[in-house]
Amino acid sequence: MAAILFTPTNQFPLKISSKIESLSLLERCSAMEELKQIHAQMIKTGLILKTIPVSRLLASCAISNYGSLTYAIRLFKAIPRPNTFMWNTVIRAHSTSNNPEDAILLYCQMLHSSKSAPSYNTYTFPFLLKACSARSSLEEAKQIHAHIIKNGLDSDVYTANSLLHVYAKSGNLASARMLFDRILHRDIVTWNSMIDGYGKTGIVEAARELFDQMPAKNIISWTSIITACTEGGMFQEALTLFQDMLSVGIKPDGAALVGVISACAQLGALDEGKWISTYIERNDVQVDPILGCSLVDMYSKCGDVEEALKIFKKMNRKSITAWTAMITGLAIHGRGQEALDLFAEMEKTGVKPNQVTFTGLLTACSHAGLVDEGKSLFQQMEKKYEVSPSVEHYGCMVDLLGRAGMLRDAEELIEKMPIRPNAAIWGALLNACRIHKNFDMGRRVGKILIELDPDHGGRYIHLASIFAAEGHWNEAVKLRKMMKDRGVSKLPGCSSTVLKGVVHNFFAGDDSHPLTKEIYLEWDRINERLREEGYVPLTDDLLLDLEEDEKEKAIHHHSEKLAIALGLISTDTGTTIRVVKNLRVCEDCHLVTKLISRVYRREIIVRDRTRFHHFKDGNCSCRDYW
DNA sequence: TTAGGGTTAG
């Protein structure tokens, strides 16, 4: 008589009467509770002793998205003589688990369990190598490679691809390339692994060359090259490749979109980011936790924090990464209190903060001047949350105290910190000395920094500007000479603005733009109009020993001013102008942008190296605290 | 059976 099944979902036929039926039921199963019932019925009917049904049951338990590895292992242990398929199934399940090392242990057990004949087959090694890849264990991969050669399985394309992947992922590109050249019948996976491995190690040009040579490309090839460009800082190329991908008719999925969304985030390309957002909605692309997180990050970094919040609130599953991205987003917009409120909300949901979350939180406190809150978080992070402060967290604290004018406290923290302070820590203190015009401390810190970071031009400039501000021109000139003698150059300031999908980059005094004449003429008009409003250029930041009018000329050709001037002549009245700058905005540019926002009635959003400035009606969201 | 995706101080 057929067994009766009672399922919570009632989606099942109510009986198992044959081997075929058990297989069909397993295929339709979608929850562990259902699987357990099938298991029970299989025991009752004796089907559990049949190889194929028990193999399928084991696979459902071990590999399906609703399964349970613990349950699978119990089942596996009860099987008297597991065959190769069953061994492979449990090895495979462990390779993607939290304990991939167990896959290797199982392989050893497998070898011992069958001494007479080899129990592995070509399916075994890809899983094992995946486990090595997850553990970043090149040594184990090499040992497995030896087994593969010994057993003559190295010509199997799956095995060869897996080996290639593990070598490429671990940065062992010479071995990966050797394997690649030896594989006679390369398939698309061979090519993709190679592109992804050359991309991950930062050799984007080589990845691009391979990509162009590929006989046929699929969505993973495109994703790999787009992601490689984004990770290698070639954001515009990532955007162009994305357009190429669309034009050849490849429909992007979530993973492909993440790469290009990140490129938009880095570029501050809001319109392109919005276009992708709309694409996701119109094409019903599933917004999984990773895609959602990258959208939140993109909207925050493109200056639209409200949209970031909307997306964040809509996300069903909020990972710690998503919470952190949102907290950091609020932080860089100076919305410190909201960042802290969001953290409190996160705690209620039981999500545990990590090191990056605390970096975001301390940044939030720093940019909003929330000194007590920052101090308290810093004290609690180790005691309450078991997250040890890293050099980044000390950096945030030095910045927080320093910006707030508590220079001595900041210096004391550096003296007491258990980790060796790096250049960034001293850099934060030097910046605070500059803001609060503490020249004595500034000189001291500047000298430490130049010793610690002798190739960083910004350090010399910082210290020289402190000397200059004090009127010590000789010392400032000496530093400039030192820089020149040592062959150190300063990272040039660069601002960009995106207009109709095209990125326009400007350096200070740049005359390479096709509209350069119009841009400089526009600046002259702006200058005249602002002076009528009482604008007096702030040249204090300049270290150059120049006459006042020369200083003004230098300051008026700063990259952000050129980008804003282009924005004013190229966009309609009332359009928000968005600029991204690689360095900190100078005092004069900050003042000018505030005035432009009032006089020209334009919202201007500037993202500088550390944060956002929203200029509107003559004010800036940073409240001049930056 | 093998290949692609997210958050980080100054």
Side-chain angles (χ1 to χ4, degrees), chain A residues 574-593:
Chain A
T575 313
T576 300
I577 297 172
R578 294 166 191 275
V579 174
V580 175
K581 192 180 179 193
N582 65 338
L583 302 174
R584 192 180 160 278
V585 173
C586 89
E587 297 273 353
D588 187 68
C589 287
H590 197 264
L591 171 66
V592 163
T593 316

Side-chain angles (χ1 to χ4, degrees), chain A residues 26-171:
Chain A
L26 279 168
E27 231 168 60
R28 286 149 57 200
C29 185
S30 62
M32 206 49 213
E33 280 312 303
E34 294 170 352
L35 200 81
K36 284 179 183 171
Q37 290 184 57
I38 299 172
H39 186 190
Q41 293 302 322
M42 283 171 63
I43 294 170
K44 212 168 170 182
T45 54
L47 281 171
I48 198 74
L49 300 171
K50 303 275 183 194
T51 307
I52 294 178
V54 78
S55 295
R56 290 284 175 83
L57 178 70
L58 179 69
S60 296
C61 261
I63 296 158
S64 67
N65 53 10
Y66 59 86
S68 151
L69 189 51
T70 321
Y71 198 91
I73 286 294
R74 282 219 305 271
L75 178 63
F76 179 72
K77 282 185 177 162
I79 301 169
R81 273 180 306 283
N83 65 15
T84 304
F85 179 91
M86 296 168 189
W87 278 107
N88 286 346
T89 301
V90 284
I91 288 174
R92 176 186 176 186
H94 280 93
S95 73
T96 51
S97 73
N98 292 328
N99 305 306
E101 60 278 10
D102 289 351
I104 320 272
L105 293 174
L106 277 161
Y107 175 63
C108 296
Q109 285 174 26
M110 179 191 196
L111 293 180
H112 286 293
S113 72
S114 170
K115 287 182 181 125
S116 51
S119 46
Y120 46 75
N121 58 16
T122 52
Y123 286 67
T124 314
F125 295 104
F127 301 136
L128 268 180
L129 290 164
K130 196 172 199 165
C132 296
S133 195
R135 280 163 57 73
S136 306
S137 171
L138 188 61
E139 278 316 304
E140 281 165 350
K142 282 181 181 168
Q143 288 184 38
I144 292 164
H145 192 173
H147 277 223
I148 290 167
I149 294 174
K150 204 172 141 192
N151 295 299
L153 292 174
D154 52 332
S155 57
D156 171 63
V157 71
Y158 282 82
T159 306
N161 285 344
S162 302
L163 271 170
L164 173 64
H165 176 243
V166 75
Y167 280 114
K169 199 188 162 198
S170 60

Side-chain angles (χ1 to χ4, degrees), chain A residues 247-312:
Chain A
S247 66
V248 296
I250 302 256
K251 208 175 168 199
D253 60 7
L257 291 168
V258 166
V260 71
I261 290 171
S262 304
C264 293
Q266 299 300 325
L267 282 171
L270 180 63
D271 288 340
E272 287 64 26
K274 272 186 184 166
W275 189 91
I276 295 166
S277 236
T278 312
Y279 180 93
I280 290 170
E281 279 169 31
R282 290 198 184 151
N283 292 276
D284 288 324
V285 179
Q286 198 208 338
V287 180
D288 64 23
I290 298 179
L291 184 57
C293 179
S294 68
L295 282 169
V296 167
D297 181 54
M298 180 274 292
Y299 274 116
S300 300
K301 290 209 175 107
C302 288
D304 194 345
V305 76
E306 289 306 326
E307 193 58 36
L309 278 164
K310 264 191 213 164
I311 292 185
F312 178 75

